[in-house]
Amino acid sequence: MLALIAGEGALPRAVAEAQAERPLVCALEGFPPDGIAADITFRLEHLGTLLETLRGKGATQVCFCGAIRRPRMDPAAIDAATMPLVPVMMEALGRGDDGALRGAVAIFEAQGFTVLGAHEAAPSLLPEAGVPTRSRPAPGTEAEARIGARVVAEMAVADVGQACVVAGEHEIAREGPDGTDAMLARLARPIPPPTSEAVDPLSWGADVVGDALGVAADWLGGEDGRPPGARAGILYKVPKPHQDRRVDLPTIGPATAEGAVRAGLSGIVIEADGVLVLERDRVVEILDAAGLFLWVRERAA
C-alpha cells in the first residue's frame, strides 16, 4: 500500500488520483491538502506513532507531496514512540530545506519503507520536452535560461528556492521561503483601473540581490525600455543541482501561469523530467490566452 505524507496544495490529490487504488493520505497538522480528505492527521511530535500506524495498516511505500513550512517541535508533546527518533529529527530540522527533507527520507527508509518521488508515483505529471503552447520562445530565451540555471545553482548553496525571474541579461527576482507564486505576485503589474498606491520594491526585497533591486524597480515601473504593455522575461524553475528528486520536486500549476501573466513575463521555462505540471491543459489554456509560452527544456548537460 502507498501512503502519502501530504502537505498543502493540489499535488497530493493529483498523486492520489493517479493511483489504481486510493492511497492512505497522512497530513501534517496545520498543512491540509487541497481537494482530498486526510485519513490520518499527525503531529511531528508523534512521528514514531505514525510509522507504527502505517506498518499496522500494511503500508510499504510512502510519497512526500505537498507544501509545508518548517514546523516547530514541542518537547513536551513528544510521545514514547517518537522519543528514539528525536536526535535524527533535530539534526534534520537544523539543516536547510533539502537537508531536512533528506533527513525525513532517511527516517522512513530506516523503518523499512520505500520512498517514492511524486514523479514516480504519478509519472503523467511530468510533461514531455517541447513547447505545448501556441506562443514560442524568442531567440533570446536560451540565454535567459542559462542565466536562470546559474542563479538556481547559486540558490542551491543556501538551500533555498528553485525558481527565479530573468529578463534579458538581468536577474529580476529569486524565489524565497514563501514560494514561486508569492515571488510572482510581488512582480505583478498593477491591475487597471490604476490606483494611487505605488508598488513598493522593498516589499519584495528579500527576493532580489545586489543591483537587481534597481533593475526590478524599473521592471515594475515599465522603465526598462519596453513599450507599454510589452511582455519580456521568463520564470525559470528547475530542481536544485544534486537534490534528492524523491522529495520537493518543483511544481507549477494554474496559479503559477496566472502569476506569470500578471507579472508581465513572456513565458515559463521548466526542466524536462524535473518539474511537475498540475492541470496541464488549464496551464496551457491560461498561457495561450495571454500569449505566453511554456518551454519544457531538455536538461542541460
Side-chain angles (χ1 to χ4, degrees):
M1 176 190 292
L2 175 66
L4 304 185
I5 309 303
E8 295 176 326
L11 182 57
R13 177 180 176 179
V15 172
E17 290 178 344
Q19 309 309 306
E21 297 181 3
R22 188 185 188 280
L24 190 66
V25 180
C26 309
L28 183 62
E29 186 177 89
F31 305 97
D34 296 344
I36 187 169
D39 300 298
I40 299 172
T41 298
F42 69 97
R43 296 181 60 173
L44 193 61
E45 294 90 343
H46 301 164
L47 181 59
T49 298
L50 173 68
L51 294 169
E52 292 177 353
T53 301
L54 293 181
R55 278 194 294 268
K57 290 183 176 293
T60 57
Q61 300 176 318
V62 297
C63 175
F64 293 84
C65 50
I68 64 167
R69 292 173 296 281
R70 192 179 296 262
R72 293 183 178 181
M73 286 185 63
D74 177 3
I78 298 173
D79 65 16
T82 307
M83 195 63 70
L85 303 175
V86 168
V88 178
M89 294 169 65
M90 295 305 295
E91 181 182 357
L93 289 172
R95 302 172 184 168
D97 293 346
D98 193 50
L101 290 169
R102 287 178 187 269
V105 168
I107 288 173
F108 277 82
E109 288 184 326
Q111 298 294 317
F113 295 96
T114 299
V115 178
L116 300 180
H119 64 296
E120 296 170 317
S124 62
L125 297 178
L126 287 176
E128 295 181 357
V131 181
T133 49
R134 290 194 295 267
S135 182
R136 312 287 296 182
T141 305
E142 174 61 36
E144 290 177 323
R146 287 197 295 270
I147 293 172
R150 174 182 57 77
V151 172
V152 172
E154 291 175 0
M155 294 165 65
V157 175
D159 200 4
V160 177
Q162 301 165 309
C164 62
V165 172
V166 176
E169 298 178 355
H170 300 291
E171 170 196 332
I172 303 299
R174 295 186 178 194
E175 181 183 35
D178 51 357
T180 301
D181 294 343
M183 174 184 68
L184 293 174
R186 287 188 285 272
L187 291 176
R189 294 173 172 179
I191 300 174
T195 69
S196 60
E197 295 182 359
V199 177
D200 176 11
L202 295 179
S203 67
W204 50 269
D207 289 326
V208 182
V209 294
D211 62 357
L213 179 59
V215 173
D218 289 344
W219 172 268
L220 291 167
E223 299 172 359
D224 56 353
R226 290 172 294 140
R231 293 189 171 277
I234 61 168
L235 167 66
Y236 182 82
K237 187 161 187 173
V238 296
K240 300 172 190 171
H242 313 301
Q243 84 168 69
D244 187 336
R245 296 194 174 206
R246 293 174 297 172
V247 286
D248 197 29
L249 202 65
T251 303
I252 68 169
T256 316
E258 291 168 352
V261 171
R262 288 193 293 267
L265 303 182
S266 60
I268 298 173
V269 180
I270 61 175
E271 182 183 291
D273 296 325
V275 178
L276 305 167
V277 180
L278 304 178
E279 300 182 55
R280 190 181 314 168
D281 291 346
R282 178 59 181 150
V283 168
V284 171
E285 179 184 3
I286 292 167
L287 297 177
D288 277 344
L292 277 70
F293 64 82
L294 172 62
W295 180 15
V296 185
R297 181 174 177 254
E298 292 281 8
R299 185 178 182 181

